[in-house]
Amino acid sequence: MPSIAAIRVGSNAGKDQIVIPIDCDSLIDLPTPCVCVDETRLIRNIETVAALAGHGGVAVRPHVKTHKSIRIAREQVARGASGITASKPAEAMVFIRAGIPAITVAYPIVDPRQILALLAAASEHGVAVRLIADSAETVHAAAAANRSLGVRTELQLKVDVGLHRCGVDPLGPGAVEIARMIADAPHLAFAGILSHAGQAYAAVSADAVRRIARQERMIMVELKARLEQVGIAVPGVSVGSTPTVLLNDGFEGITEIRPGNYVLLDRTQSALGAARPEDIAMTVLTTVIASNRHNAIIDAGSKVLSSDRGAHGADRIQGFGSATRLSEPSDGLSDPPFIISHLSEEHGFIPLAGRSLAIGETLRIVPNHACPVMNLADRFLLVQASGRRLIEPVDARGVSFAPISLG
Amino acid sequence: MPSIAAIRVGSNAGKDQIVIPIDCDSLIDLPTPCVCVDETRLIRNIETVAALAGHGGVAVRPHVKTHKSIRIAREQVARGASGITASKPAEAMVFIRAGIPAITVAYPIVDPRQILALLAAASEHGVAVRLIADSAETVHAAAAANRSLGVRTELQLKVDVGLHRCGVDPLGPGAVEIARMIADAPHLAFAGILSHAGQAYAAVSADAVRRIARQERMIMVELKARLEQVGIAVPGVSVGSTPTVLLNDGFEGITEIRPGNYVLLDRTQSALGAARPEDIAMTVLTTVIASNRHNAIIDAGSKVLSSDRGAHGADRIQGFGSATRLSEPSDGLSDPPFIISHLSEEHGFIPLAGRSLAIGETLRIVPNHACPVMNLADRFLLVQASGRRLIEPVDARGVSFAPISLG
């Protein structure tokens, strides 16, 4: 049990008053739950994709929705990323203000006010923003904002390659119509086509992921040819998701990849065969707070781990995370990990099945899905190879909601 | 489509730069996604439980994990609540600093540093804190912190009434042992017994919920008698969950109830028969951003709605939320609501099944579970009966993680 002497009671108002120093001897003395990022693995993951891209002759524009950290985005740019990708306008805004030089906002924006604010900030900070569109409405919203500011922004055509979420049908007439609409708009520059094969998360094997990657590439290459046949130049072909990039089918005909999760990785990527246990850079430390004849109870519930079973609703993974004693290697190979079978908001349930966990023990959890966990935390602990620990803010946490003001 | 003239580009650094005023004529012009709380319904829900408690002769100590709002906690105290209940120490800390006079921290705390910080703040702000314990470890942690500060805090014995999460087995020897340990500790005051019948969320009918409420009450009343037989006075018997309070079996033998969700309510409570559609005070506004022959796509995904299927892992509800056009009454009675069938992080999927939704349309979502939605948002819109809208902070958002500092 940690010593009381280590405590410091903060004096500031707000919600961070129980401040417990992280300069204790061992991670075991850290207060929990706590998101930890292993810097060595993080950097290795960034370099792995940079090397893949270099070998394939494509640019990398990683999606920052996974880490939401300016520091990690800068590490990606320092290791060859040509820019970053963000989801919602408010997410992009955090990285525009941080001066990340090039940002794709890969989200259909129908509210011209949000585009206007985005472009005004990009112009102020000298950031090259690229938008996407997949409907007349999104083209009109982008055109209106650009006209109003007197600027000309790059727009990519979002293509549905099988997830059936956003994007034009690559085989339908809409693909050419919307591309033409962008190319013809005086205030927009057509910057090519963009896709996300999120259905790869429902694949049952690494081979199945590779087939989806091949299918995505074929669809995109064929659409590029079709657009060029009707006189629309297609300068860029951008694809990407972590599984289809790590388990790629080659990048012929592709100019850019946009993986996100690869920097942290999680149980989902592991189940897909896209990550080895020793690649997973993000874990959550938790403490056993109760124990009964049914379960051990930990202090990480759905408000820490999220209720995600996987990405895009994939639910082939058992439970809500795996957990290993902190004293054991975190590769999960020595002893089968404990499985978190269900969650309350502030509690996780671990069926013991004959094994034991003592109240007060610290465990390390590999979450099902790293992205929503990062989005629940205000900060994370960056653990460096030297053992030094830094507290880093999750800069873009909570930006999924519209920013509102009293006007 | 909203007019560009309404926009104001903020000048502060940070993540809230796209600020769109909420003084537009209609909710339809609000930027989305946005959490809305209907003040009339909120106050009516608070008064309903206050009346139930008054009639039953029990105190109300509502759980604030649902709303995490100092303003709403004050509304509850102003309408008769004897105090509030919080989960984690950091959650309690927000309300201690706000001067809410009495707070039960209904979470087993094994780290004495966290108790020490809590008690120091409570003493500074004149707040009466009550803790719980269900193991020797949690009693020792509380005793150590109290001894160190020279104070004497009330401790309640947490009892497992069937959820098998935290709490002593009411029929086993541990119940008396831990109660005795608390009663005998010179720095602790035994304040009675406390339970949460969270298994009510898995009940299949209102009658089944009522049976669970009766069972909980019987267990608690019998345990009180058993403790008093061995000479341990039991000043309080505290129970509570929203379904077992709203669908109660009477409160004979009970002294306090601690419902949380009842202030906002959601699809889960509605499915249990504990809420009528017109009672639900929290909804999320969303915009249709894309549409294809399979689905309409909205701008609320799992980072807005959470992936919760229900509370405590209950998953009998279809999909991840129901949605109605903003122009239609939100009681869901006029037209069957659209169902959000699955979620990506920033997108919701609505199968159209022959109906239509236009890109740009605003919908109002009733989430499956209000509590995790509030915990994802930095602020919510409080809509008053006059139509006036206030922006309120979610003061205790994100406190599930341990507060950490550089020491």
Coordinates of all heavy atoms in Angstrom, one line a residue, chain A residues 251-318:
Chain A
F251 N 1.1 -0.8 -52.5 CA 0.5 0.6 -52.6 C 0.4 1.1 -54.1 O 0.4 2.3 -54.3 CB 1.2 1.6 -51.7 CG 1.1 1.2 -50.2 CD1 2.3 1.0 -49.5 CD2 -0.1 1.1 -49.6 CE1 2.2 0.7 -48.1 CE2 -0.2 0.8 -48.2 CZ 1.0 0.6 -47.5
E252 N 0.5 0.2 -55.0 CA 0.5 0.6 -56.4 C -0.7 1.4 -56.8 O -1.9 1.0 -56.5 CB 0.6 -0.6 -57.3 CG 1.2 -0.3 -58.7 CD 1.2 -1.5 -59.6 OE1 1.3 -2.7 -59.1 OE2 0.9 -1.3 -60.8
G253 N -0.5 2.6 -57.3 CA -1.7 3.5 -57.7 C -2.1 4.4 -56.5 O -3.0 5.2 -56.7
I254 N -1.5 4.2 -55.4 CA -1.9 5.0 -54.2 C -0.9 6.1 -54.0 O 0.3 5.8 -54.3 CB -1.9 4.1 -52.9 CG1 -2.9 2.9 -53.1 CG2 -2.3 4.8 -51.7 CD1 -4.3 3.3 -53.4
T255 N -1.3 7.2 -53.5 CA -0.3 8.3 -53.2 C -0.2 8.6 -51.8 O 0.8 9.2 -51.4 CB -0.7 9.6 -54.0 OG1 -1.9 10.1 -53.5 CG2 -0.8 9.4 -55.5
E256 N -1.1 8.2 -50.9 CA -1.1 8.6 -49.5 C -1.9 7.6 -48.7 O -2.9 7.0 -49.1 CB -1.8 10.0 -49.4 CG -1.9 10.5 -48.0 CD -2.7 11.8 -48.0 OE1 -4.0 11.7 -47.8 OE2 -2.1 12.9 -48.1
I257 N -1.3 7.3 -47.5 CA -2.0 6.4 -46.5 C -2.3 7.2 -45.2 O -1.6 8.2 -44.9 CB -1.2 5.2 -46.2 CG1 0.2 5.5 -45.7 CG2 -1.1 4.3 -47.4 CD1 1.0 4.3 -45.2
R258 N -3.4 6.9 -44.5 CA -3.9 7.7 -43.4 C -4.2 6.8 -42.2 O -5.3 6.9 -41.6 CB -5.1 8.5 -43.7 CG -4.9 9.5 -44.9 CD -6.2 10.3 -45.1 NE -7.4 9.6 -44.8 CZ -8.0 8.7 -45.6 NH1 -7.4 8.3 -46.8 NH2 -9.1 8.1 -45.2
P259 N -3.3 5.9 -41.7 CA -3.6 5.1 -40.6 C -3.7 5.9 -39.3 O -3.0 7.0 -39.3 CB -2.5 4.1 -40.5 CG -1.3 4.8 -41.1 CD -1.9 5.7 -42.2
G260 N -4.4 5.5 -38.3 CA -4.5 6.3 -37.1 C -4.1 5.5 -35.9 O -3.1 5.8 -35.2
N261 N -4.7 4.4 -35.7 CA -4.5 3.5 -34.5 C -3.1 3.0 -34.3 O -2.7 2.7 -33.2 CB -5.6 2.4 -34.5 CG -5.6 1.6 -33.2 OD1 -4.8 0.7 -33.0 ND2 -6.5 2.0 -32.3
Y262 N -2.4 2.8 -35.4 CA -1.1 2.2 -35.4 C -0.1 2.7 -34.4 O 0.8 2.0 -34.0 CB -0.4 2.2 -36.8 CG 0.2 3.6 -37.1 CD1 1.6 3.8 -37.0 CD2 -0.6 4.7 -37.5 CE1 2.1 5.1 -37.3 CE2 -0.1 5.9 -37.8 CZ 1.3 6.1 -37.7 OH 1.9 7.3 -37.9
V263 N -0.2 4.0 -34.0 CA 0.8 4.5 -33.0 C 0.6 3.9 -31.6 O 1.6 3.7 -30.9 CB 0.6 6.0 -32.9 CG1 1.2 6.7 -34.0 CG2 -0.8 6.5 -32.6
L264 N -0.6 3.5 -31.3 CA -0.9 3.0 -29.9 C -1.2 1.5 -30.0 O -0.7 0.7 -29.2 CB -2.1 3.7 -29.3 CG -1.9 5.3 -29.1 CD1 -3.1 5.9 -28.4 CD2 -0.6 5.5 -28.2
L265 N -2.1 1.1 -30.9 CA -2.5 -0.3 -31.0 C -3.3 -0.8 -29.8 O -3.3 -0.1 -28.8 CB -1.3 -1.2 -31.3 CG -0.6 -0.9 -32.7 CD1 0.7 -1.6 -32.8 CD2 -1.5 -1.1 -33.9
D266 N -4.0 -1.9 -30.0 CA -4.9 -2.4 -28.9 C -5.3 -3.8 -29.1 O -4.8 -4.5 -30.1 CB -6.1 -1.5 -28.8 CG -6.8 -1.2 -30.2 OD1 -6.7 -2.2 -31.0 OD2 -7.3 -0.1 -30.4
R267 N -6.2 -4.4 -28.4 CA -6.7 -5.8 -28.5 C -7.3 -6.0 -29.9 O -7.3 -7.1 -30.4 CB -7.7 -6.1 -27.4 CG -7.1 -6.4 -26.1 CD -8.2 -6.8 -25.1 NE -8.4 -8.2 -25.0 CZ -9.6 -8.8 -24.8 NH1 -10.7 -8.1 -24.5 NH2 -9.7 -10.1 -24.7
T268 N -8.0 -5.0 -30.4 CA -8.6 -5.2 -31.7 C -7.6 -5.4 -32.8 O -7.8 -6.4 -33.6 CB -9.4 -3.9 -32.0 OG1 -10.4 -3.7 -31.0 CG2 -10.1 -4.0 -33.4
Q269 N -6.5 -4.6 -32.8 CA -5.5 -4.8 -33.8 C -4.8 -6.2 -33.6 O -4.4 -6.9 -34.6 CB -4.5 -3.7 -33.8 CG -5.1 -2.3 -34.0 CD -5.6 -2.0 -35.3 OE1 -5.4 -2.8 -36.3 NE2 -6.4 -1.0 -35.5
S270 N -4.6 -6.5 -32.4 CA -4.0 -7.8 -32.0 C -4.9 -8.9 -32.5 O -4.4 -9.9 -33.2 CB -3.8 -7.8 -30.5 OG -3.2 -9.0 -30.1
A271 N -6.2 -8.9 -32.3 CA -7.1 -9.9 -32.8 C -7.1 -10.0 -34.3 O -7.3 -11.1 -34.9 CB -8.5 -9.7 -32.3
L272 N -6.9 -8.9 -35.0 CA -6.9 -8.9 -36.5 C -5.6 -9.4 -37.0 O -5.4 -9.7 -38.2 CB -7.1 -7.5 -37.0 CG -8.5 -6.9 -36.9 CD1 -8.5 -5.4 -37.2 CD2 -9.5 -7.7 -37.8
G273 N -4.6 -9.6 -36.2 CA -3.2 -10.0 -36.6 C -2.4 -8.8 -37.1 O -1.4 -9.0 -37.7
A274 N -2.8 -7.6 -36.7 CA -2.1 -6.4 -37.2 C -1.1 -5.9 -36.1 O -0.4 -5.0 -36.4 CB -3.1 -5.3 -37.6
A275 N -1.1 -6.5 -35.0 CA -0.2 -6.1 -33.9 C 0.2 -7.2 -33.1 O -0.6 -8.1 -32.8 CB -0.9 -5.0 -33.0
R276 N 1.5 -7.2 -32.7 CA 2.0 -8.2 -31.8 C 1.9 -7.6 -30.4 O 1.8 -6.4 -30.2 CB 3.5 -8.5 -32.0 CG 3.8 -9.1 -33.4 CD 5.3 -9.0 -33.7 NE 5.8 -7.6 -33.5 CZ 7.1 -7.2 -33.6 NH1 8.0 -8.2 -33.7 NH2 7.5 -6.0 -33.4
P277 N 1.8 -8.5 -29.3 CA 1.6 -8.0 -28.0 C 2.7 -6.9 -27.7 O 2.4 -5.9 -27.0 CB 1.7 -9.2 -27.1 CG 1.4 -10.3 -28.0 CD 1.8 -10.0 -29.4
E278 N 3.9 -7.1 -28.1 CA 5.0 -6.2 -27.7 C 5.0 -4.9 -28.5 O 5.8 -4.0 -28.3 CB 6.3 -6.9 -27.8 CG 6.7 -7.4 -29.2 CD 6.2 -8.8 -29.6 OE1 5.2 -9.2 -29.0 OE2 6.9 -9.5 -30.4
D279 N 4.0 -4.7 -29.4 CA 3.8 -3.5 -30.2 C 2.9 -2.5 -29.5 O 2.9 -1.3 -29.8 CB 3.3 -3.7 -31.6 CG 4.2 -4.6 -32.4 OD1 5.4 -4.5 -32.3 OD2 3.7 -5.4 -33.3
I280 N 2.1 -3.0 -28.6 CA 1.0 -2.2 -28.0 C 1.6 -1.2 -27.1 O 2.2 -1.5 -26.1 CB -0.1 -3.1 -27.3 CG1 -0.7 -4.0 -28.4 CG2 -1.1 -2.3 -26.6 CD1 -1.7 -5.1 -27.8
A281 N 1.4 0.1 -27.5 CA 2.0 1.2 -26.7 C 1.2 1.8 -25.6 O 1.7 2.5 -24.7 CB 2.5 2.3 -27.7
M282 N -0.1 1.6 -25.7 CA -1.0 2.2 -24.7 C -1.6 1.2 -23.8 O -2.2 0.2 -24.3 CB -2.1 3.0 -25.3 CG -2.8 3.9 -24.3 SD -4.4 4.5 -24.9 CE -5.4 3.2 -24.3
T283 N -1.5 1.3 -22.5 CA -2.1 0.5 -21.5 C -2.8 1.3 -20.4 O -2.5 2.5 -20.4 CB -1.2 -0.5 -20.9 OG1 -0.1 0.2 -20.3 CG2 -0.6 -1.5 -21.9
V284 N -3.6 0.7 -19.6 CA -4.2 1.5 -18.5 C -3.9 0.8 -17.2 O -4.1 -0.4 -17.1 CB -5.8 1.5 -18.7 CG1 -6.5 2.2 -17.5 CG2 -6.2 2.3 -20.0
L285 N -3.4 1.5 -16.3 CA -3.1 0.9 -15.0 C -4.4 1.0 -14.1 O -5.1 2.0 -14.1 CB -2.0 1.7 -14.2 CG -0.6 1.7 -14.9 CD1 0.4 2.3 -14.1 CD2 -0.2 0.3 -15.3
T286 N -4.6 -0.1 -13.4 CA -5.8 -0.2 -12.6 C -5.5 -0.9 -11.3 O -4.5 -1.6 -11.2 CB -7.0 -0.9 -13.3 OG1 -8.2 -0.8 -12.6 CG2 -6.6 -2.4 -13.5
T287 N -6.4 -0.7 -10.3 CA -6.2 -1.3 -9.0 C -7.4 -2.2 -8.6 O -8.5 -1.8 -8.9 CB -6.0 -0.2 -7.9 OG1 -4.9 0.6 -8.2 CG2 -5.8 -0.8 -6.5
V288 N -7.1 -3.4 -8.0 CA -8.1 -4.2 -7.5 C -8.7 -3.6 -6.3 O -7.9 -3.3 -5.3 CB -7.6 -5.6 -7.2 CG1 -8.7 -6.5 -6.6 CG2 -7.0 -6.3 -8.5
I289 N -10.0 -3.2 -6.3 CA -10.6 -2.5 -5.1 C -11.5 -3.4 -4.3 O -11.9 -3.0 -3.2 CB -11.3 -1.2 -5.6 CG1 -12.4 -1.6 -6.6 CG2 -10.4 -0.2 -6.1 CD1 -13.4 -0.5 -6.9
A290 N -11.9 -4.5 -4.8 CA -12.8 -5.4 -4.1 C -12.7 -6.8 -4.7 O -12.2 -7.0 -5.8 CB -14.2 -4.9 -4.1
S291 N -13.1 -7.8 -3.9 CA -13.0 -9.2 -4.4 C -14.1 -9.9 -3.7 O -14.4 -9.7 -2.5 CB -11.6 -9.7 -4.0 OG -11.4 -10.9 -4.6
N292 N -14.8 -10.8 -4.4 CA -15.8 -11.6 -3.8 C -15.7 -13.0 -4.4 O -14.8 -13.3 -5.3 CB -17.2 -11.0 -4.0 CG -17.6 -10.8 -5.4 OD1 -17.4 -11.6 -6.3 ND2 -18.0 -9.5 -5.7
R293 N -16.6 -13.9 -4.1 CA -16.4 -15.3 -4.6 C -16.7 -15.4 -6.1 O -16.4 -16.4 -6.8 CB -17.2 -16.3 -3.8 CG -18.7 -16.2 -3.9 CD -19.4 -17.0 -2.8 NE -20.7 -16.4 -2.5 CZ -21.8 -16.7 -3.1 NH1 -21.9 -17.7 -4.0 NH2 -23.0 -16.1 -2.8
H294 N -17.3 -14.3 -6.7 CA -17.6 -14.3 -8.1 C -16.5 -13.6 -8.9 O -16.0 -14.1 -9.9 CB -18.9 -13.6 -8.4 CG -20.0 -14.1 -7.5 ND1 -20.8 -15.2 -7.9 CD2 -20.5 -13.6 -6.3 CE1 -21.7 -15.4 -6.9 NE2 -21.6 -14.5 -6.0
N295 N -16.0 -12.4 -8.4 CA -15.2 -11.6 -9.3 C -14.2 -10.8 -8.4 O -14.4 -10.5 -7.3 CB -16.1 -10.5 -9.9 CG -17.2 -11.1 -10.8 OD1 -16.9 -11.7 -11.8 ND2 -18.4 -10.9 -10.4
A296 N -13.1 -10.4 -9.1 CA -12.3 -9.3 -8.6 C -12.9 -8.0 -9.3 O -13.3 -8.1 -10.4 CB -10.8 -9.5 -8.9
I297 N -12.9 -6.9 -8.5 CA -13.4 -5.7 -9.1 C -12.3 -4.7 -9.2 O -11.5 -4.5 -8.2 CB -14.5 -5.1 -8.1 CG1 -15.6 -6.2 -7.9 CG2 -15.1 -3.8 -8.7 CD1 -16.4 -6.6 -9.1
I298 N -12.2 -4.0 -10.3 CA -11.1 -3.0 -10.5 C -11.7 -1.6 -10.7 O -12.9 -1.5 -10.9 CB -10.3 -3.4 -11.8 CG1 -11.2 -3.5 -13.0 CG2 -9.5 -4.7 -11.6 CD1 -10.4 -3.7 -14.3
D299 N -10.8 -0.6 -10.5 CA -11.3 0.7 -10.5 C -11.3 1.4 -11.9 O -11.4 2.6 -12.1 CB -10.4 1.6 -9.6 CG -9.0 1.7 -10.0 OD1 -8.6 1.2 -11.1 OD2 -8.2 2.4 -9.3
A300 N -11.4 0.5 -13.0 CA -11.6 1.0 -14.3 C -12.9 0.4 -14.9 O -13.0 -0.8 -15.0 CB -10.4 0.6 -15.2
G301 N -13.8 1.3 -15.2 CA -15.1 0.9 -15.7 C -15.3 1.5 -17.1 O -14.3 1.9 -17.8
S302 N -16.5 1.7 -17.5 CA -16.8 2.2 -18.9 C -16.4 3.7 -19.0 O -16.2 4.1 -20.2 CB -18.2 2.0 -19.3 OG -19.1 2.7 -18.5
K303 N -16.3 4.4 -17.9 CA -15.9 5.8 -18.1 C -14.3 5.9 -18.2 O -13.8 7.0 -18.3 CB -16.4 6.6 -16.9 CG -17.9 7.0 -17.0 CD -18.4 7.7 -15.8 CE -19.9 8.1 -16.0 NZ -20.6 8.6 -14.8
V304 N -13.6 4.8 -18.1 CA -12.2 4.7 -18.4 C -11.9 3.9 -19.6 O -11.1 4.4 -20.5 CB -11.5 4.1 -17.1 CG1 -10.0 3.7 -17.5 CG2 -11.5 5.1 -16.0
L305 N -12.5 2.8 -19.8 CA -12.2 1.9 -20.9 C -13.1 2.0 -22.1 O -12.9 1.5 -23.1 CB -12.2 0.4 -20.4 CG -11.2 0.0 -19.3 CD1 -11.5 -1.4 -18.8 CD2 -9.8 0.2 -19.8
S306 N -14.2 2.8 -21.9 CA -15.3 2.8 -22.9 C -16.0 1.5 -22.9 O -15.5 0.5 -22.4 CB -14.9 3.3 -24.3 OG -14.5 2.2 -25.1
S307 N -17.2 1.4 -23.5 CA -17.9 0.1 -23.7 C -17.6 -0.5 -25.0 O -18.3 -1.4 -25.4 CB -19.4 0.3 -23.5 OG -19.7 0.8 -22.3
D308 N -16.6 0.0 -25.7 CA -16.3 -0.5 -27.1 C -15.9 -2.0 -27.1 O -15.0 -2.4 -26.3 CB -15.2 0.3 -27.8 CG -15.7 1.5 -28.6 OD1 -16.8 2.0 -28.2 OD2 -15.1 1.8 -29.6
R309 N -16.5 -2.8 -27.9 CA -16.1 -4.1 -28.1 C -15.0 -4.2 -29.1 O -14.2 -5.2 -29.2 CB -17.2 -5.0 -28.5 CG -18.4 -5.0 -27.6 CD -18.1 -5.3 -26.1 NE -17.6 -6.7 -26.0 CZ -18.3 -7.7 -25.6 NH1 -19.6 -7.5 -25.2 NH2 -17.8 -8.9 -25.5
G310 N -14.9 -3.2 -30.0 CA -13.9 -3.2 -31.1 C -14.2 -1.9 -31.8 O -15.0 -1.1 -31.4
A311 N -13.6 -1.7 -33.0 CA -13.8 -0.5 -33.8 C -15.0 -0.8 -34.7 O -15.2 -2.0 -35.1 CB -12.6 -0.2 -34.6
H312 N -15.8 0.2 -35.1 CA -16.9 0.1 -36.0 C -17.8 -1.0 -35.6 O -18.3 -1.8 -36.5 CB -16.4 -0.2 -37.5 CG -15.6 1.0 -38.0 ND1 -16.2 2.2 -38.2 CD2 -14.3 1.0 -38.4 CE1 -15.3 3.0 -38.7 NE2 -14.1 2.3 -38.9
G313 N -18.1 -1.2 -34.3 CA -19.0 -2.2 -33.9 C -18.6 -3.6 -34.0 O -19.4 -4.5 -33.7
A314 N -17.3 -3.8 -34.3 CA -16.8 -5.2 -34.3 C -16.9 -5.8 -32.9 O -16.5 -5.0 -32.0 CB -15.4 -5.3 -34.8
D315 N -17.3 -7.0 -32.7 CA -17.5 -7.5 -31.3 C -17.0 -8.9 -31.2 O -17.6 -9.7 -30.4 CB -18.9 -7.3 -30.9 CG -19.9 -8.0 -31.7 OD1 -19.5 -8.6 -32.7 OD2 -21.1 -8.0 -31.4
R316 N -16.0 -9.3 -31.9 CA -15.5 -10.6 -31.8 C -14.6 -10.8 -30.6 O -14.2 -11.9 -30.2 CB -14.8 -11.1 -33.1 CG -15.8 -11.3 -34.2 CD -15.1 -11.6 -35.5 NE -14.0 -10.6 -35.8 CZ -12.8 -10.8 -35.7 NH1 -12.3 -12.0 -35.3 NH2 -11.9 -9.9 -35.9
I317 N -14.2 -9.7 -30.0 CA -13.2 -9.9 -28.8 C -14.0 -10.2 -27.6 O -15.1 -9.7 -27.3 CB -12.5 -8.5 -28.6 CG1 -11.8 -8.2 -29.9 CG2 -11.5 -8.6 -27.5 CD1 -11.0 -6.8 -29.8
Q318 N -13.4 -11.0 -26.7 CA -14.1 -11.4 -25.5 C -13.9 -10.3 -24.5 O -12.7 -9.9 -24.2 CB -13.4 -12.7 -25.0 CG -14.2 -13.4 -23.9 CD -13.3 -14.5 -23.2 OE1 -12.2 -14.7 -23.6 NE2 -13.8 -15.0 -22.1

